[in-house]
Amino acid sequence: MPEHTKYLLSENDIPKDWYNIQADLPFEMPPVLHPGTKQPVGPTDLAPLFPMELIKQEVSKERWIEIPEPVREVYRLWRPSPLYRAHRLEKALQTPAKIFYKYEGVSPAGSHKPNTAVAQVFYNKLEGTKRIATETGAGQWGSALALACQLFDIECKVYMVRISYDQKPYRRYMMETWGAKVVASPSKDTNSGRAMLAQDPNCNGSLGLAISEAVEDVVTNPVPSKYSLGSVLNHVLMHQTVIGLETIKQLELAGAEPDVLVGCIGGGSNFGGFAFPFLPAKLKDKNNKLRIVAIEPAAAPSLTRGLYAYDYGDLSMLTPLIKMFTLGHGFIPAPIHAGGLRYHGMAAQIGELYRHGYIEARAVQQRATFEAGVMFARTEGILPAPESAHAIRGAIDEALKCREEGVSRTIVFNLSGHGHFDLTSYDKYLNGKIEDYVLPDEEIRKAQEALPVV
Ligand SMILES: *Cc1c(COP(=O)(O)O)cnc(C)c1O
C-alpha cells in the first residue's frame, strides 16, 4: 500500500470550539493602552470599533470558546481543509525528512482569512451592525471580509492600499463581485486620506494609513458601522485555531508526530492559528522537543529586528497602543511581492511567545522565497501565495538540514493560500526581475524616534 498523500476529515470533524491560548500562557500579557490617556483600555473604549462579543473574546481567559453553529455552517463550504504529505517535494530535496502541509487555499477567497472574517461578521450581525469598514493591502483580507459580509448581508467598505489598487485589480474585482465598495487609500473619503493626498497626491499608501481611514470611517459614519481587523488581535488568532486543531487530528490519522512546525508571519494570524493548538505541552514543559519556527520577509522583519515597545496599529495614531515587536507605525514598506507580510507590527501573543523562548523566528530574502515557491509548484502542483512561499522556504531549509545531518524529522508547515492573483510576481521572478531587499538599520532608528512615549 502506498502511503497516503491527503489526510481528509469529515465535516463532523470541524472543530466545535476555538482554542484560546490566553488560558495557558505562563506569563502576563502587557495591557493594551488608550491612545489618548495611555491608560489600559476597557470594553467601552473599544465599543465604537468592535461588537461586544469580540471585545470579550479579546480579553477572555476561557480555554475553549464555542464556535456558533451559523459560523460552522459557513466553514462547511471548505472546511476541514486537507493536510498533504509532500512526497514529491521530499523526493526532489532528497531529504530523509517527512514533510506535511496544511492547505488553507481551498477557501473561496483562497487563503485562511475567511476563518476569522466569517466569525467577525457573524457577531456583528447578531449585534445589529449594518456596515463594516476595513483596510486591505494586496486584497486578501478585503476579499475574505467581502465574502463574509455578502453571506451575512452586511454592507462592506474596503480601503485598499493605493499601490495594490493600481497594480492588482483582480482582487478588487473579486471584492466587488461579492458586493463590497472598494476605494484606493489614501482616499478623499476621510480626513486622514485627504491630509495625506494634500501632502503627496501620488502617495502609494500603506496598511497603517488605510487602517486610519477605516477607523475614522466607522466612528463618523451615520449608518451603524464597525471596524474589522484581519490579523494581529487575540480574537483573530483564536478564530484561526481551527487550522491547528484540524492538523492535530490529521497528523494522528497519518501516525505522525511533528518535530518542527513552520509558518509565515505578517500580523501573525495564520501562524498563530496553526501553531497555538500544539503549544500547551510546550508551555508546560519548555524542554519539549517540538520546535516552532516563524518566517518573515527580510524587508519587513518585525520579530527578528523590530523594536519591542508600545506602538500604534496605524499611521494616524487612532488605534489603541499595543506592546509588540514593531517597525514603527510610520513604516512604509518596500514594495516586496508578499503584500500580506508588509505590516509594521506583530501580534502581541506571538511577540511574547518569542520573547519567552517558546517560538523561533527567521527572516528570508525575496528571491530565495520565490525559488522555494516555484520548486513547490513544480513538485506538489499548487502555486503558492508569495506569503505562503516564506513558510515553504522555511520548511525546505529544515528538510535540507535533515539531509545534511542524515536524520529524519517530521516537518509540518501551513500553506496559508494560493497565488492565483500573484502571477505578475511569478512572471517577474521567472524573468529575473525580482530583487532582494533588506530593511536598512537607518529605518529602524527612525522608527525608534517616532515611538509614542508611554
Ligand atoms: C494575509 C496573509 C498572510 C499574512 O497574514 P497573517 O496574519 O500573518 O497570517 C499570509 N498568507 C496569506 C495567504 C495571506 O493572505
Side-chain angles (χ1 to χ4, degrees):
M1 269 271 285
E3 278 192 85
H4 272 70
T5 294
K6 286 197 302 307
Y7 293 89
L8 301 172
L9 300 172
S10 90
E11 288 180 14
N12 297 328
D13 296 314
I14 295 174
K16 298 198 167 56
D17 305 273
W18 291 299
Y19 169 60
N20 181 14
I21 198 166
Q22 213 64 34
D24 293 322
L25 291 178
F27 44 77
E28 279 297 315
M29 294 292 294
V32 173
L33 304 182
H34 188 281
T37 64
K38 314 265 167 87
Q39 294 302 306
V41 291
T44 46
D45 295 318
L46 297 173
L49 296 182
F50 303 107
M52 205 39 79
E53 180 58 31
L54 292 178
I55 296 171
K56 276 197 220 148
Q57 291 182 3
E58 189 62 20
V59 296
S60 168
K61 294 205 169 171
E62 292 288 314
R63 182 168 290 111
W64 299 100
I65 292 183
E66 192 179 342
I67 307 177
E69 192 46 39
V71 173
R72 294 183 80 237
E73 224 165 79
V74 177
Y75 280 175
R76 277 187 203 110
L77 289 172
W78 70 92
R79 304 214 71 84
S81 66
L83 179 81
Y84 286 85
R85 171 84 184 269
H87 290 298
R88 289 173 180 76
L89 178 63
E90 289 171 15
K91 211 164 168 192
L93 293 170
Q94 297 180 310
T95 174
K98 288 183 180 156
I99 307 175
F100 291 87
Y101 57 96
K102 176 74 165 165
Y103 185 40
E104 288 295 309
V106 292
S107 83
S111 77
H112 64 290
K113 289 196 171 78
N115 296 332
T116 185
V118 169
Q120 293 190 41
V121 171
F122 169 75
Y123 292 117
N124 270 288
K125 183 76 182 180
L126 268 193
E127 296 184 26
T129 305
K130 300 286 182 232
R131 185 175 166 278
I132 297 178
T134 196
E135 74 290 336
T136 196
Q140 284 144 326
W141 169 240
S143 45
L145 193 71
L147 165 72
C149 283
Q150 180 60 42
L151 294 175
F152 287 103
D153 191 23
I154 285 185
E155 229 182 281
C156 181
K157 166 97 177 252
V158 181
Y159 292 86
M160 184 171 190
V161 176
R162 164 81 175 277
I163 189 165
S164 303
Y165 184 93
D166 292 339
Q167 291 180 354
K168 301 195 166 174
Y170 293 102
R171 280 271 168 201
R172 168 156 63 87
Y173 305 153
M174 197 175 195
M175 291 184 259
E176 289 169 347
T177 302
W178 281 324
K181 179 154 195 301
V182 186
V183 293
S185 167
S187 78
K188 291 192 174 129
D189 298 3
T190 66
N191 287 329
S192 308
R194 286 186 291 266
M196 181 53 92
L197 286 173
Q199 229 179 304
D200 175 9
N202 299 316
C203 177
N204 278 335
S206 71
L207 269 182
L209 174 60
I211 295 175
S212 297
E213 291 209 85
V215 168
E216 185 187 326
D217 172 317
V218 303
V219 296
T220 55
N221 202 288
V223 180
S225 302
K226 289 277 191 275
Y227 171 69
S228 185
L229 193 63
S231 188
V232 180
L233 299 180
N234 300 343
H235 68 267
V236 179
L237 274 58
M238 185 187 75
H239 296 155
Q240 294 294 354
T241 58
V242 290
I243 304 172
L245 292 167
E246 288 176 6
T247 305
I248 288 174
K249 280 194 185 175
Q250 287 163 309
L251 287 172
E252 273 167 24
L253 282 183
E257 277 233 19
D259 297 297
V260 191
L261 300 178
V262 183
C264 67
I265 46 168
S269 75
N270 87 83
F271 177 79
F274 171 63
F276 286 179
F278 290 89
L279 263 161
K282 194 162 173 99
L283 291 170
K284 282 196 203 93
D285 172 16
K286 233 182 185 171
N287 296 322
N288 182 299
K289 73 176 172 66
L290 179 66
R291 291 176 51 227
I292 304 178
V293 188
I295 311 287
E296 61 186 8
S302 53
L303 267 195
T304 52
R305 289 175 62 212
L307 307 160
Y308 176 67
Y310 272 104
D311 199 5
Y312 300 96
D314 71 319
L315 183 67
S316 300
M317 303 176 278
L318 301 172
T319 70
L321 291 161
I322 299 180
K323 187 135 190 198
M324 60 183 174
F325 285 87
T326 175
L327 299 166
H329 57 273
F331 181 63
I332 302 261
I336 56 161
H337 293 268
L341 304 185
R342 290 192 293 217
Y343 187 58
H344 66 273
M346 180 51 55
Q349 289 177 332
I350 305 262
E352 293 303 317
L353 287 164
Y354 176 63
R355 248 167 41 84
H356 288 87
Y358 292 100
I359 62 177
E360 304 165 33
R362 274 185 58 212
V364 297
Q365 292 274 15
Q366 234 187 164
R367 277 190 302 191
T369 300
F370 273 98
E371 181 198 15
V374 168
M375 180 175 200
F376 188 79
R378 289 178 180 177
T379 51
E380 295 297 312
I382 296 170
L383 197 147
E387 291 85 355
S388 319
H390 287 72
I392 299 173
R393 180 74 260 168
I396 288 180
D397 290 344
E398 292 292 334
L400 292 176
K401 233 189 297 173
C402 289
R403 185 172 79 185
E404 274 165 35
E405 296 169 13
V407 292
S408 171
R409 294 192 193 97
T410 298
I411 300 162
V412 188
F413 73 90
N414 190 39
L415 188 65
S416 50
H418 68 61
H420 298 178
F421 295 93
D422 302 283
L423 293 171
T424 315
S425 306
Y426 278 92
D427 178 52
K428 285 201 173 132
Y429 174 73
L430 295 172
N431 288 292
K433 288 185 188 142
I434 292 272
E435 280 165 20
D436 283 341
Y437 180 87
V438 178
L439 185 70
D441 284 330
E442 177 59 21
E443 294 289 316
I444 296 170
R445 267 198 301 278
K446 272 196 266 170
Q448 175 93 56
E449 284 160 21
L451 283 176
V453 180
V454 176

